[in-house]
Amino acid sequence: MTEAAPRPTLEAVAARAGVSRATASRVVNGGDGVRAPLVERVLRAVEELGYVPNQAARSLVTRRHDAIAVVVAEPETRVFADPFFALQLRGISKELTAHDNQLVLLLTEGRDDHARVGRYLAGGHVDGALVFSLHLDDPLPALIHRAGVPAVFGGRPGWGDGERGTGATGPTGATEPTGAGGSTDSRSLGPLASTVFVDSDNRGGAREAVRHLLALGRGRVAHITGALDQTSAADRLDGYRDVLPDADPALVAHGDFTPAGGERAMRELLDRCPDVDAVFAANDLTAVGALRVLRERGVRVPDEVAVVGFDDMVPIAEQTDPPLTTVRQDIEGMGRLMARRLLDALRGGPDGAVPTPTGVILPTTLVRRASA
């Protein structure tokens, strides 16, 4: 075994550059007040010596860790099986990497995981948190609030019907209508009642999907929901009902955003509503399950039943049989915007002042393929 070469020190950098240690420290840690020629000499010395700042020491100076926690309120079996999460994480990772921040991934599956994540965030290991895939009874928002960590949420918050739609702005800056909220009393959450979040126009996208099916001449349009303890699923169901307020309740079947859930719901629909001629699925994975059952039952798509999904995860939507008509949301872009808003908040000052408006809702578009 060979001995590792000693790591270059900040003192060595200062000596090579011919400046004081304090000046070298200010340059390395991004401080102001150093003349440009001295900055160039220090940076040249850093490169020549291969100096890497000690993060622990640097944090003492800057009070920053350059690390962001990404908290996904789902078990690892779901996160690593659903390409939605891969796309959102890719967007977050790209933005954090561009600003030299590390991503710390935290997954939650049960009460013990929530307590662990709460302790980690309260321990001062990261500068902020990006949180998504929350469920309405999730304790994470309150834990994050108590930890005092600046946070941006992916998805419209679901706590408090009294807060529905407040602060949420669409692409043009106008307040957007939002779907069913959760049962948590927003007053008990204090600052979380005006949480910073990034979401897609789930309700508007659902309306566009259903209107498209009606324009095709379909008269019995069904909806397979997502997990209704999540606001995205509730908003998409609300969008369906906006267009079809008098729809037969039997035409709504409950899913969970998974192919297996789509299969179960599609079987239920065919058994109780054999005359169904169109299906709006809450996401592309649900649509995959629905298409599988329709094929098994010998139902032709789109001739007998037209199918529309939601997400436009291209590797899935283009490879279904037939290729899937779906509502596109910019999943990766949503991840990047979440990270950008958090980094902007961290640059706003030591109090973690957040930018306004509180919420941003990104537009969706219908992508037409062969299934509808």
Side-chain angles (χ1 to χ4, degrees), residues 319-341:
Q319 294 177 19
T320 58
D321 183 19
L324 183 65
T325 293
T326 185
V327 177
R328 183 179 190 275
Q329 60 171 333
D330 187 358
I331 302 169
E332 184 175 327
M334 186 162 60
R336 293 198 74 145
L337 183 55
M338 286 174 61
R340 192 176 308 133
R341 286 176 66 78

Side-chain angles (χ1 to χ4, degrees), residues 68-73 106 108 113-124 126-134 138-154 159 189-192 195-196 338 342 354:
I68 300 296
V70 178
V71 186
V72 187
L106 304 174
T108 66
D113 289 330
H114 290 131
R116 170 181 55 82
V117 169
R119 289 193 303 270
Y120 183 84
L121 295 177
V126 295
D127 300 316
L130 300 168
V131 190
F132 57 91
S133 202
L134 285 174
D138 206 308
L140 280 172
L143 288 172
I144 291 167
H145 175 47
R146 285 199 295 270
V149 176
V152 173
F153 290 80
W159 40 79
L189 290 168
L192 284 175
T195 303
V196 180
M338 286 174 61
L342 179 59
V354 297

Side-chain angles (χ1 to χ4, degrees), residues 6-16 21 24 28 45-46 49-54:
R7 292 178 57 181
T9 64
L10 187 60
E11 288 78 3
V13 170
R16 174 69 68 94
R21 186 187 187 283
V28 168
V46 165
L49 294 174
Y51 173 74
V52 178
N54 181 291

Side-chain angles (χ1 to χ4, degrees), residues 70 82-98 103 130 132 154 198-200 236 311-315 327-341 362-364:
V70 178
D82 189 335
F84 176 92
F85 297 108
L87 287 169
Q88 196 155 35
L89 286 169
R90 185 166 69 183
I92 291 170
S93 178
K94 283 182 177 179
E95 191 68 22
L96 294 183
T97 299
L103 184 158
L130 300 168
F132 57 91
V198 177
D199 201 0
S200 294
R236 292 170 199 179
D311 284 337
D312 193 33
M313 294 186 290
V314 173
V327 177
R328 183 179 190 275
Q329 60 171 333
D330 187 358
I331 302 169
E332 184 175 327
M334 186 162 60
R336 293 198 74 145
L337 183 55
M338 286 174 61
R340 192 176 308 133
R341 286 176 66 78
L362 301 176
T364 58

Side-chain angles (χ1 to χ4, degrees), residues 182-345:
S183 58
T184 305
D185 184 354
S186 62
R187 291 172 297 180
S188 67
L189 290 168
L192 284 175
S194 57
T195 303
V196 180
F197 70 92
V198 177
D199 201 0
S200 294
D201 186 6
N202 293 297
R203 191 166 182 168
R207 289 195 293 259
E208 188 174 9
V210 177
R211 287 173 182 145
H212 172 66
L213 291 168
L214 294 176
L216 295 176
R218 307 300 166 130
R220 294 280 284 172
V221 180
H223 177 46
I224 301 177
T225 75
L228 288 175
D229 64 344
Q230 294 184 287
T231 55
S232 58
D235 288 351
R236 292 170 199 179
L237 174 58
D238 283 349
Y240 168 84
R241 287 174 171 163
D242 287 343
V243 181
L244 295 172
D246 300 318
D248 183 351
L251 288 170
V252 176
H254 297 289
D256 58 5
F257 286 133
T258 68
E263 290 183 20
R264 287 192 301 271
M266 193 69 246
R267 290 192 181 96
E268 292 174 14
L269 285 171
L270 291 175
D271 290 343
R272 68 180 181 232
C273 301
D275 59 342
V276 62
D277 59 5
V279 175
F280 164 49
N283 72 339
D284 290 351
L285 291 179
T286 297
V288 167
L291 288 169
R292 190 176 298 152
V293 170
L294 291 169
R295 187 165 53 250
E296 290 173 356
R297 297 281 185 98
V299 178
R300 292 172 299 156
V301 177
D303 298 1
E304 296 175 272
V305 175
V307 177
V308 175
F310 201 111
D311 284 337
D312 193 33
M313 294 186 290
V314 173
I316 293 175
E318 290 186 345
Q319 294 177 19
T320 58
D321 183 19
L324 183 65
T325 293
T326 185
V327 177
R328 183 179 190 275
Q329 60 171 333
D330 187 358
I331 302 169
E332 184 175 327
M334 186 162 60
R336 293 198 74 145
L337 183 55
M338 286 174 61
R340 192 176 308 133
R341 286 176 66 78
L342 179 59
L343 294 175
D344 286 345

